[in-house]
Amino acid sequence: VTKVKSYDEAIVALKKGAEIIKVDNVYCRYKGNEQSFHKFVDALASNKTCKMLDLYWNFIGPDGSKEIANALKVNKTLLKLDLALNKIGHQGGIAIGEAFEHNNTLTNLDLVGNGIGDDGAGVISNALHDNKALHTISLSFNGIGPLGAEYIAEALKENSTLLTLNLTQNVIGESGAIAIGKSLE
């Protein structure tokens, strides 16, 4: 694991061929580092060595998640992405979901605690209809309600590659739980 304290260090790690990069959330935050983050994401888009990227709690927000989403559309190497606790909101969830229409490489995505809501869950679910790479997705603590759960349930009817779905601490209610349960029959 290559641990870095800045997005500039992350660029260097990519250039050196690092396969696993963890961007330290104590030293590195998106706000105030937008240009460095943009350069890092540009480098990530064409990178052919990094298989795992951990941006846990970097507060990249909707803008940073849109940049990551654009990189995911062209990157064919990254297998695991941790975007937990980044405050991406529903706009970021929508951008990430749209990226999955173009990415069939990523197998593991962590979006815990981002407030993507039903809108973000809906777009991610649309992408799951055709995506055959994603095996694990963590959507806990995202404010997903019954409607978002119904979107996910519809996607699960079509998707046979997703093995792990974490929806803990959402507000899917009984109707959402029933819809997901029925989709797995």
Side-chain angles (χ1 to χ4, degrees), residues 38-59:
H38 180 74
K39 290 176 187 174
F40 165 64
V41 172
D42 280 350
L44 178 66
S46 60
N47 181 270
K48 304 219 183 312
T49 58
C50 186
K51 292 180 175 40
M52 182 178 154
L53 177 60
D54 183 346
L55 290 171
Y56 171 85
W57 210 16
N58 274 228
F59 295 109

Side-chain angles (χ1 to χ4, degrees), residues 56 82-89 109-117 121 124 136-145 152 164-172:
Y56 171 85
D82 185 344
L83 292 176
L85 299 173
N86 271 290
K87 297 187 175 187
I88 68 172
L109 177 63
D110 188 341
L111 290 174
V112 170
N114 275 300
I116 67 167
I124 289 170
T136 301
I137 187 166
S138 297
L139 297 172
S140 297
F141 295 95
N142 268 297
I144 298 171
I152 292 167
T164 305
L165 170 65
N166 187 343
L167 287 171
T168 57
Q169 298 300 317
N170 281 293
V171 287
I172 65 171

